[in-house]
Amino acid sequence: MDFMKNKNVSITGGYWKNKEEINRKITMEAVWNRFYETGRIKAFTFDYKEEGKFTVHHFWDSDVAKWMEAASYFIGKGYDEFTERMEYLIVNNQMEDGYFNSFFQYPGKIGGRFSDRNMHELYCAGHLMEAACAYYEATGKDRFLRAMERYAELIEKVFIKEESAAFATPGHEEIELALVKMYKTTGKEKYLDMARFFIDKRGGSKKDYGDRWGIVGVGLYSQSHMPVREQETAEGHAVRATYLYSAMADVAKTDVDEALGTVCEKLFSDIVNKKMYITGAIGSSHLGEAFTVAYDLPNERAYAETCASIGLVFFANRMTALKNDASYADVAELALYNGMMAGLGTKGDDFFYTNPLEICLMHHGKDVSVKQNEWLPITQRKKIFDCSCCPPNLNRVLASIGGMIYGYEGDTLYVNQFAESKGEENGLWVKQKTGYPNDGHIILESNARKLCIRIPSRCNSFTANVPYTEENGYAVIDGGYAEINLGMKPMLVEADPRVYDDYGKAALIFGPLVYCIEGVDNKEIFALSIQSDTSFETEFDEGFGLYRIKAKGIRKNGDGKLYSPLKGEKEDDTLEFIPYSCFANRGESDMKVWIELA
Amino acid sequence: MDFMKNKNVSITGGYWKNKEEINRKITMEAVWNRFYETGRIKAFTFDYKEEGKFTVHHFWDSDVAKWMEAASYFIGKGYDEFTERMEYLIVNNQMEDGYFNSFFQYPGKIGGRFSDRNMHELYCAGHLMEAACAYYEATGKDRFLRAMERYAELIEKVFIKEESAAFATPGHEEIELALVKMYKTTGKEKYLDMARFFIDKRGGSKKDYGDRWGIVGVGLYSQSHMPVREQETAEGHAVRATYLYSAMADVAKTDVDEALGTVCEKLFSDIVNKKMYITGAIGSSHLGEAFTVAYDLPNERAYAETCASIGLVFFANRMTALKNDASYADVAELALYNGMMAGLGTKGDDFFYTNPLEICLMHHGKDVSVKQNEWLPITQRKKIFDCSCCPPNLNRVLASIGGMIYGYEGDTLYVNQFAESKGEENGLWVKQKTGYPNDGHIILESNARKLCIRIPSRCNSFTANVPYTEENGYAVIDGGYAEINLGMKPMLVEADPRVYDDYGKAALIFGPLVYCIEGVDNKEIFALSIQSDTSFETEFDEGFGLYRIKAKGIRKNGDGKLYSPLKGEKEDDTLEFIPYSCFANRGESDMKVWIELA
């Protein structure tokens, strides 16, 4: 299938509309302001030529480009508050030969261009290309796109025709998927060829052996340990990995390359069956922000970068498009609602880069031990990070959820996500009315001949008012009108016993949402366990826009002795859960997702 | 009470006799050889004057001194294999004014003496004094002791009379308890005055504010955050702390200083009721090798230095002597059998410095993540460490267990530890026959009028063939002959629920021994839980010289899915426990002390 373009889909209400609005009104502004204050905006517009005092970072361009991509999506939907800033930003300092990079164009640095694989030049270029495509699609204005086409031609010349760069493939993938977007936006096959070139070159060039992140395995960090088509397990830096895999899935689809598609399936399977948190977060290790071995999913020291969940969303959506299989969209949903949304505070102006599944403030200690625990993620959201990739990534994803909802192939329409919305593209239209994820009632209307509706794996039941058959995880019905009811009941989930960190524990889910308990609602949460046969009470929380859930559990009482013969003195208690994505919004607090079974 | 001197007590059989013999035949030799190979011995004898190529470390003298103390204990018991080495080592390069330190006497360094609080000069001096006292008591030869008396006089002059050193109190305590030993050995009150001086000066001098380990709190690291008599909680570096507290308890007893005794009681109580592992290990934090907040006792990343358990033994023995209270000796026993003995491999030639209570090899990862986990203790014993304080500390403690068994006051004899042994001092004699800790049957004979026998807190029952009354944790009987039976049954123990890391778990103990399960006996130990009402089967293990224990548990099976609705599929299984002190002797393996309750 192809996804309906973001600008052809309007989210008209509910959870994602609310997040889109918070993004437009608060998060976009917050990110812009922080980027301005920290010099990112000035660096991008080469203001350093005048002031000469910025310390430009080599991936700042990508930060700004992601914000520009987000702004373009909003402009495409008719919001014009970002137009002036976009015009201000669009690359005015491109070199004669097409090169653009605020770090290497800093006075005295240009000699270093294309000399170091780890300096993010093609990564920044990729993000600029994504922004340029989005801006062109939003406005029809092509100055930005043409600038990026010139840059792409320079890249083709240096990396493909002349092979004159010091490295063969970039240390941080991104250009590959961006080139596919360039192809789709311009129709020029050349960009697809370039994407394919960078994919197939990876892991096969001696030029790239000097991976300075050998600390996480020679080449593993940047998925350069072997040719891409031979890879069977997800390895290394999780964001790099998922950006690469996304491009691979893109190319597998455009080329109808089944072998490459099979590689993508294996990599996806390795992630979701062995290396993914229940929140859809990935990359559990803080060293290298990377995947580690299968089932190594520690909760308290989870790295689980917001961008990695976003990368998984990208990969999952592309696999959905490649395979017409709802199980991929199901993973995208999980990562969106949990791993990704945990990265944004409810007010919309503060962020997590790392997203732990457990916080034990005791382990963070007082003065005496706080520095000991640098391996622990931070416990409160921040306004900006030195490496601030996640906030503008949230900007662009929250501005483009619309583009993840509907797919089509011929006159078949796929409903991949549930959100009150309407879409129209290529002669097909669809309307969806629902209060999901707070309510499982969904009304769909469409002119498609066939309607394929994802059967969500985390709902208890799926019923429709019309007959349906099941195919690749979709309920297939004749087009027109359908009412769906998803069984939305809180449910306890367990992990494979090989996930040692979750042993003897359960997590609470409710539809696509993973829940957690916080100290602010439950006092000493580490003395609590949950009844495996608990009933549940739900209560809507206006602030979160989602349900809270109460469950029955046990609180353990001590006798004041540090160690004593097993007595198991306990009392009944109630556990108050909130959606995991809403944690750490009410002050510093203990938190946990996986709760011991009573 | 006073403890019978080590040389007046012979351990005649059983666990500690076996360990004493392993120490004499293997561990003493192994430590000597490693110290020779690494230059410690040559540095100590100033061989660097000839070769000029040693990098002498500023606390190497203490390593050698501890070995010398151990050798002296053996010499005192009639073993002469260490005599030649002792004569070779005894300080030949003392300066005219009494100073001795192989680091500062290294060419060009002498100007730095007494200039840096953290350079361990008085710590090294203290260990040399302990060795000198031990050698004098063993042999009656006083050359070493007189050399150390000259050094003590220099220290008195510099630190007390002139106050001319750059610091007021040492950064690492040790000299305080050593000076008490000097007092007891020589009878000279001056040394006791000096010990009291250093104790009371601590935390009260501006000279000492520049603690370079401010990272663990200004002054906290070296217990210098406030005057010692105002301290109520155990803080900072655990070895430093317990050495200081030991000296405080010594002085409280010799001075009959009740206020200082009360401080010691508070500090001891803070340790054993809030900051001690079930193994008697202390200092849970690897940063600063320190105590952290109450109940912060992580198992996998436990620092739990071998020397810290030894320090706790010292403190506990002195509290026993101060208070005539068996509960202190009970803690000494726990730390000896578990926290300390885990530090020595069963063969006697390899060591742990850190002693985790859980090893999850998965968390140590493959190449990709191994460096991430530097906060994790090592999983296999080593022959020597760069900072190799623990091995010679084991040498001296295992050569002096005899001195921890019997105490007396007037014609009352205290049996503080259980070991087949005989002792005679000050007109009192005692004989003990027992297979403890493998057997709870104990036969005691003594000419004491009153016999006070510790009632061990970790045995299920205490019976005697004669009437007894209870007093301060002792069973008090008329002297002569007594047969005691300790109920030795495996028992599950739970932790205070505020020890979050042990929540929902139980540990198995058997008498004084804490048990663990290892992967080598149990395959995937992280899929196992234990039945709270399990029966136990014991089986003697010749290699360990201790019992193994089998218990009933549950092994969890997955369905191959990473996450699935709670089913709790399980099968009955058997857990095979070994004594914790014997872990990591059969290859690298998962290990845990605290087991989830089924």
Side-chain angles (χ1 to χ4, degrees), chain B residues 179-282:
Chain B
L179 285 163
V180 176
K181 281 198 178 175
M182 291 285 279
Y183 157 68
K184 288 184 177 171
T185 305
T186 65
K188 296 181 184 169
E189 293 271 351
K190 174 166 66 175
Y191 302 130
L192 186 60
D193 296 340
M194 288 175 72
R196 196 185 304 112
F197 171 86
F198 281 121
I199 288 168
D200 284 332
K201 195 82 175 173
R202 179 163 295 270
S205 171
K206 280 191 184 165
K207 270 190 184 177
D208 294 345
Y209 285 179
D211 188 332
R212 69 173 172 185
W213 284 90
I215 196 169
V216 282
V218 176
L220 269 180
Y221 176 68
S222 61
Q223 299 74 46
S224 307
H225 51 298
M226 60 174 71
V228 158
R229 286 168 186 270
E230 294 171 21
Q231 296 184 20
E232 299 195 337
T233 56
E235 302 290 349
H237 187 268
V239 178
R240 280 167 166 78
T242 46
Y243 283 18
L244 169 66
Y245 306 157
S246 295
M248 287 160 62
D250 275 340
V251 170
K253 180 166 159 61
T254 53
D255 285 5
V256 196
D257 181 338
E258 280 185 22
L260 189 58
T262 301
V263 173
C264 292
E265 284 178 73
K266 282 184 191 168
L267 293 168
F268 196 90
S269 165
D270 185 55
I271 294 173
V272 302
N273 293 317
K274 294 180 180 169
K275 297 176 178 171
M276 182 182 77
Y277 286 100
I278 191 169
T279 57
I282 54 172

Side-chain angles (χ1 to χ4, degrees), chain A residues 35-179:
Chain A
F35 282 4
Y36 198 88
E37 291 156 14
T38 53
R40 282 164 167 86
I41 301 295
K42 286 208 168 192
F44 192 80
T45 55
F46 289 50
D47 253 14
Y48 56 69
K49 283 182 180 164
E50 290 151 42
E51 304 199 11
K53 59 178 181 186
F54 287 111
T55 308
V56 184
H57 194 276
H58 64 270
F59 49 73
W60 273 5
D61 285 357
S62 67
D63 290 345
V64 178
K66 279 186 278 190
W67 186 93
M68 292 172 78
E69 185 183 338
S72 301
Y73 293 137
F74 281 116
I75 292 167
K77 296 200 170 187
Y79 298 105
D80 65 359
E81 60 255 52
F82 304 116
T83 303
E84 194 178 333
R85 285 181 186 159
M86 279 300 290
E87 289 297 321
Y88 168 72
L89 287 173
I90 284 172
V91 293
N92 289 309
N93 296 277
Q94 191 170 26
M95 288 172 73
E96 273 299 301
D97 65 0
Y99 189 79
F100 178 87
N101 184 295
S102 69
F103 180 83
F104 282 103
Q105 287 176 262
Y106 191 89
K109 287 206 171 286
I110 196 64
R113 80 179 203 181
F114 299 141
S115 70
D116 185 340
R117 187 169 189 250
N118 299 298
M119 289 303 281
H120 290 61
E121 280 163 293
L122 300 191
Y123 170 79
C124 288
H127 277 300
L128 286 163
M129 289 175 192
E130 285 201 87
C133 291
Y135 193 64
Y136 175 74
E137 290 194 345
T139 63
K141 296 182 198 170
D142 68 353
R143 187 166 67 94
F144 192 10
L145 182 63
R146 278 189 290 112
M148 289 305 108
E149 286 205 73
R150 284 198 299 282
Y151 197 178
E153 273 154 36
L154 174 68
I155 290 165
E156 184 193 24
K157 175 167 166 278
V158 169
F159 284 87
I160 303 178
K161 292 183 177 161
E162 295 178 352
E163 297 189 78
S164 59
F167 51 97
T169 64
H172 195 316
E173 300 93 323
E174 156 65 22
I175 187 101
E176 302 83 355
L177 71 84
L179 284 164

Side-chain angles (χ1 to χ4, degrees), chain A residues 349-364:
Chain A
D349 65 347
D350 53 6
F351 309 91
F352 273 133
Y353 185 109
T354 48
N355 296 280
L357 277 78
E358 183 167 316
I359 294 173
C360 176
L361 294 178
M362 181 178 74
H363 289 160
H364 290 261

Side-chain angles (χ1 to χ4, degrees), chain A residues 256-514:
Chain A
V256 196
D257 182 339
E258 281 185 22
L260 190 58
T262 302
V263 173
C264 292
E265 284 178 73
K266 282 184 190 166
L267 293 168
F268 196 91
S269 166
D270 185 55
I271 293 173
V272 302
N273 294 316
K274 294 180 180 168
K275 297 175 179 171
M276 183 181 75
Y277 286 100
I278 191 168
T279 57
I282 55 172
S284 61
S285 164
H286 80 269
L287 183 87
E289 313 183 310
F291 294 107
T292 79
V293 294
Y295 308 113
D296 183 15
L297 296 164
N299 293 310
E300 191 182 10
R301 62 189 163 83
Y303 195 79
E305 185 183 341
T306 306
C307 284
S309 285
I310 289 173
L312 181 58
V313 170
F314 293 161
F315 185 24
N317 284 338
R318 281 155 171 91
M319 290 304 291
T320 308
L322 176 66
K323 307 296 294 182
N324 291 1
D325 185 330
S327 67
Y328 296 102
D330 206 73
V331 172
E333 178 187 57
L334 181 72
L336 282 167
Y337 276 107
N338 304 286
M340 181 184 86
M341 282 313 298
L344 182 62
T346 46
K347 286 189 194 132
D349 65 347
D350 53 6
F351 309 91
F352 273 133
Y353 185 109
T354 48
N355 296 280
L357 277 78
E358 183 167 316
I359 294 173
C360 176
L361 294 178
M362 181 178 74
H363 289 160
H364 290 261
K366 53 177 180 176
D367 287 2
V368 80
S369 64
V370 70
K371 288 197 186 172
Q372 160 193 16
N373 294 322
E374 281 172 346
W375 52 271
L376 285 176
I378 57 169
T379 58
Q380 286 288 277
R381 290 187 180 75
K382 293 175 74 170
K383 301 284 181 186
I384 189 164
F385 307 91
D386 289 340
C387 173
S388 214
C389 48
C390 302
N393 230 352
L394 284 161
N395 284 148
R396 66 179 185 143
V397 173
L398 290 176
S400 58
I401 298 287
M404 304 178 186
I405 300 175
Y406 302 111
Y408 60 92
E409 193 164 290
D411 52 7
T412 299
L413 192 128
Y414 294 87
V415 180
N416 294 307
Q417 302 299 339
F418 304 110
E420 187 138 312
S421 58
K422 50 188 180 181
E424 187 165 3
E425 190 168 309
N426 220 27
L428 289 171
W429 62 260
V430 58
K431 281 182 199 166
Q432 183 178 175
K433 218 172 147 47
T434 181
Y436 190 87
N438 290 318
D439 172 359
H441 186 64
I442 298 160
I443 298 171
L444 289 159
E445 257 186 294
S446 174
N447 66 343
R449 196 179 59 79
K450 250 171 66 181
L451 212 50
C452 297
I453 304 151
R454 177 168 63 87
I455 302 171
S457 71
R458 287 167 294 272
C459 291
N460 311 65
S461 61
F462 181 99
T463 55
N465 71 331
V466 291
Y468 69 90
T469 55
E470 277 190 44
E471 200 178 314
N472 287 341
Y474 291 102
V476 184
I477 63 172
D478 288 334
Y481 180 92
E483 285 192 40
I484 306 298
N485 271 298
L486 305 176
M488 301 284 282
K489 273 191 266 180
M491 177 164 54
L492 292 181
V493 172
E494 65 186 6
D496 188 303
R498 287 169 290 189
V499 184
Y500 299 152
D501 296 272
D502 300 339
Y503 181 79
K505 300 175 187 172
L508 175 63
I509 65 171
F510 177 62
L513 299 169
V514 175

Side-chain angles (χ1 to χ4, degrees), chain B residues 15-45:
Chain B
Y15 182 85
W16 290 118
K17 179 66 185 172
N18 181 38
K19 295 301 176 189
E20 185 182 289
E21 283 296 282
I22 288 172
N23 183 30
R24 185 171 64 84
K25 292 177 186 164
I26 298 167
T27 318
M28 286 294 288
E29 202 63 22
V31 171
W32 173 273
N33 288 337
R34 298 300 89 71
F35 281 5
Y36 198 88
E37 291 155 15
T38 53
R40 282 165 167 85
I41 301 294
K42 286 207 169 191
F44 192 81
T45 55

Side-chain angles (χ1 to χ4, degrees), chain A residues 338 342-346 352 354-359 378-381 516-518 544 578-587 589 591 593:
Chain A
N338 304 286
L344 182 62
T346 46
F352 273 133
T354 48
N355 296 280
L357 277 78
E358 183 167 316
I359 294 173
I378 57 169
T379 58
Q380 286 288 277
R381 290 187 180 75
C516 69
I517 55 172
E518 279 197 309
F544 299 147
I578 62 164
Y580 167 71
S581 62
C582 303
F583 86 92
N585 279 295
R586 296 168 297 159
S589 194
M591 183 274 290
V593 169

